[in-house]
Amino acid sequence: MTDLTELTAVRLVEGYRKGEFSPVEATRAALERAGRIQPRVNAFVRLLTEEALAQARAAEDRLRRGEPLGPLDGVPVTVKDMLLLRGHPTLRGSRTVAEDGNWAEDAPSVARLREQGAVFIGKTTTPEFGWKGVTDSPLTGVTRNPRDPSRTAGGSSGGSAAAVALGAAPLSLGTDGGGSVRIPASFCGIFGLKPTYGRVPVYPASPFGTLSHVGPMTRDAADAALLLDVIAAPDARDWSALGPVTGSWTDALAEGVHGLRVAYSPSLGGQVAVRPAVAAGVRRAVERLAGLGAYVEETDPDVTDPVDAFHTLWFSGAARLTHGLGPQQRELLDPGLREICARGARYSALDYLAAVDVRMDLGRRMGRFHERYDLLLTPTLPITAFETGAEVPRASGHRRWTGWTPFTYPFNLTQQPAATVPVGTDPGGLPVGMQIVAARHRDDLVLRAAHALYEANVASSALTPSGS
């Protein structure tokens, strides 16, 4: 008998159409799996059992009548608890957010999914206000890696990554302000896409401004394209959103990588120390893309680490986010978040604008780079998942999470589309990810390259029997 929790969204939709199984069956399976994995990995803030089953029954009736609301009608989805889901608190991992607020709106991406008939399984965990690259918070505790519960799932969309990896719905909505989709997707061995900024509307506006993106977290690139086809629609509440999409990312997948000009930068010009197992997995995937017809050159973009500028923007956003909290509420915050808020409050307007100057120059450099190359390939992270309960690996010498994520946050500064694809494991069985980056507005190229790797069986899901 088919295990519905192991099917992609694309396969579920096909099965619904053929009458092989139903949305209610798929939803029951996803909820049952979510309940079983929760004690092991702590991926969920809350499960929406009765509501999800009601949505699934309604979808089943529509499909029986031949009147689906859209391509994701009846497909189980999870939502990071940074995004509004109508009728349920969005506490963002914080004890400072009142649960009894007015939760009457959906975020734009959630609204598009609801309009298409998706089934909402639950809200997934996040560090407090999504501030760091691992997922633990004063509110919900530690979220663990599906491959090894002693290791972190990454963050800040760690709950979403663990849920997808272990079959508690094939699709999830994550947010990414400095790598928060790509980091946990890499650590958990799934696909994660940070689209071009503005491609998926955001509301309410992030306190981290135009660093923050919403993106798909899925089993593979085909599922991400399907999800992006739904959520990449304008919303009047986001003044910075891009205009309507022409064409379909799903349709573009088949174009492959033949003839694409690809730059492979194994360490950003020697700026990053990459673990040998990570470097080897990425290099094998790069060689496979070359075998599929891409023109690959090992070269580096003309960039230096923009971490100081990123910190200025990130810490300032955190300070603004918590500006209205009183002393007692501040004591409820994650201690690391309190530290960066204090630092962010000391920056001046001139400091902020200087960081914006660095950002604009980095964007210019990457724009010129992509005149020569369609894609840039790097490791997603220089390491694999480390122990839980820590912002940085022990004995790493890093002070903040940005110390071990040097490949991710630069592309939030530039607003480029960037994805992570699982390309193997280290000797301990922990997933390795490769990052695929394209010029702004060329999300299709990122998805095409990732899909080509999945089709060539280079990239694969991290689903593990031990997690089920």
Side-chain angles (χ1 to χ4, degrees):
M1 182 177 177
T2 300
D3 183 348
L4 299 182
T5 66
E6 295 184 358
L7 300 185
T8 64
V10 170
R11 180 67 183 91
L12 284 177
V13 171
E14 178 187 20
Y16 294 166
R17 186 177 66 251
K18 293 180 177 179
E20 296 173 357
F21 37 78
S22 73
V24 171
E25 290 171 321
T27 299
R28 287 191 188 280
L31 287 166
E32 191 273 340
R33 176 62 62 87
R36 285 167 59 192
I37 70 170
Q38 180 63 7
R40 172 180 167 83
V41 298
N42 188 32
F44 288 93
V45 176
R46 63 182 55 82
L47 291 172
L48 310 177
T49 302
E50 295 306 318
E51 185 174 324
L53 289 170
Q55 292 170 349
R57 286 190 288 269
E60 195 165 307
D61 287 342
R62 289 190 296 269
L63 293 171
R64 190 179 297 117
R65 299 194 306 268
E67 300 172 355
L69 291 178
L72 290 178
D73 204 353
V75 175
V77 179
T78 64
V79 178
K80 183 181 180 181
D81 201 38
M82 292 286 288
L83 297 169
L84 296 177
L85 179 66
R86 191 178 72 215
H88 300 281
T90 298
L91 302 182
R92 298 185 286 176
S94 181
R95 293 181 292 176
T96 69
V97 179
E99 193 164 347
D100 60 354
N102 179 14
W103 308 109
E105 285 189 281
D106 284 327
S109 51
V110 174
R112 302 295 85 78
L113 285 170
R114 193 183 298 277
E115 291 163 1
Q116 298 281 334
V119 174
F120 297 108
I121 296 296
K123 299 296 289 291
T124 58
T125 53
T126 175
E128 193 162 26
F129 300 117
W131 81 271
K132 60 183 175 179
V134 295
T135 299
D136 58 69
S137 77
L139 183 67
T140 58
V142 174
T143 297
R144 301 177 181 275
N145 194 287
R147 286 291 180 96
D148 180 350
S150 72
R151 307 285 179 136
T152 179
S156 64
S157 305
S160 288
V164 171
L166 290 174
L171 308 177
S172 191
L173 294 177
T175 64
D176 190 316
S180 289
V181 160
R182 290 159 290 156
I183 294 166
S186 180
F187 276 179
C188 294
I190 66 166
F191 182 78
L193 171 67
K194 178 186 76 68
T196 299
Y197 178 80
R199 179 51 63 205
V200 180
V202 176
Y203 174 84
S206 170
F208 301 108
T210 57
L211 294 173
S212 186
H213 306 53
V214 172
M217 303 183 73
T218 61
R219 298 284 180 77
D220 59 22
D223 270 12
L226 179 63
L227 180 51
L228 194 61
D229 278 336
V230 171
I231 63 176
D235 190 290
R237 296 171 292 175
D238 183 356
W239 64 271
S240 63
L242 298 177
V245 178
T246 57
S248 162
W249 280 284
T250 297
D251 292 344
L253 295 177
E255 296 181 37
V257 296
H258 186 80
L260 292 184
R261 302 162 300 166
V262 177
Y264 166 44
S265 178
S267 61
L268 293 180
Q271 295 181 74
V272 184
V274 179
R275 286 187 184 171
V278 173
V282 173
R283 185 172 290 276
R284 285 193 297 270
V286 171
E287 292 171 351
R288 185 58 172 150
L289 280 177
L292 294 172
Y295 298 112
V296 177
E297 178 183 348
E298 187 168 327
T299 187
D300 304 300
D302 177 25
V303 299
T304 55
D305 188 356
V307 68
D308 290 337
F310 180 81
H311 281 170
T312 299
L313 300 174
W314 193 254
F315 297 172
S316 297
R320 181 69 185 92
L321 171 67
T322 59
H323 179 69
L325 298 181
Q328 290 183 324
Q329 285 182 302
R330 286 183 178 276
E331 286 301 312
L332 299 175
L333 295 174
D334 181 327
L337 177 58
R338 277 204 308 273
E339 288 180 18
I340 72 163
C341 289
R343 185 170 167 185
R346 293 194 293 269
Y347 290 127
S348 69
L350 290 178
D351 293 329
Y352 193 93
L353 291 173
V356 172
D357 286 342
V358 171
R359 181 181 193 180
M360 290 190 294
D361 183 63
L362 180 63
R364 176 189 64 80
R365 289 169 185 260
M366 289 308 303
R368 296 300 298 270
F369 183 81
H370 283 291
E371 288 181 331
R372 301 191 303 277
Y373 300 102
D374 298 302
L375 295 171
L376 169 65
L377 306 179
T378 74
T380 306
L381 298 164
I383 60 175
T384 52
F386 55 90
E387 65 277 2
T388 61
E391 182 185 343
V392 302
R394 293 191 186 100
S396 67
H398 300 308
R399 174 68 181 134
R400 297 264 75 106
W401 61 272
T402 44
W404 52 270
T405 62
F407 294 110
T408 60
Y409 56 79
F411 303 109
N412 292 82
L413 290 167
T414 61
Q415 303 187 338
Q416 293 172 246
T420 183
V421 181
V423 293
T425 58
D426 70 5
L430 296 169
V432 170
M434 181 177 76
Q435 182 171 233
I436 306 173
V437 184
R440 292 175 73 243
H441 312 295
R442 292 313 307 266
D443 307 70
D444 60 314
L445 295 181
V446 173
L447 288 164
R448 281 167 52 185
H451 184 64
L453 290 172
Y454 279 102
E455 290 287 283
N457 295 317
V458 175
S460 61
S461 171
L463 284 173
T464 57
S466 62
S468 62

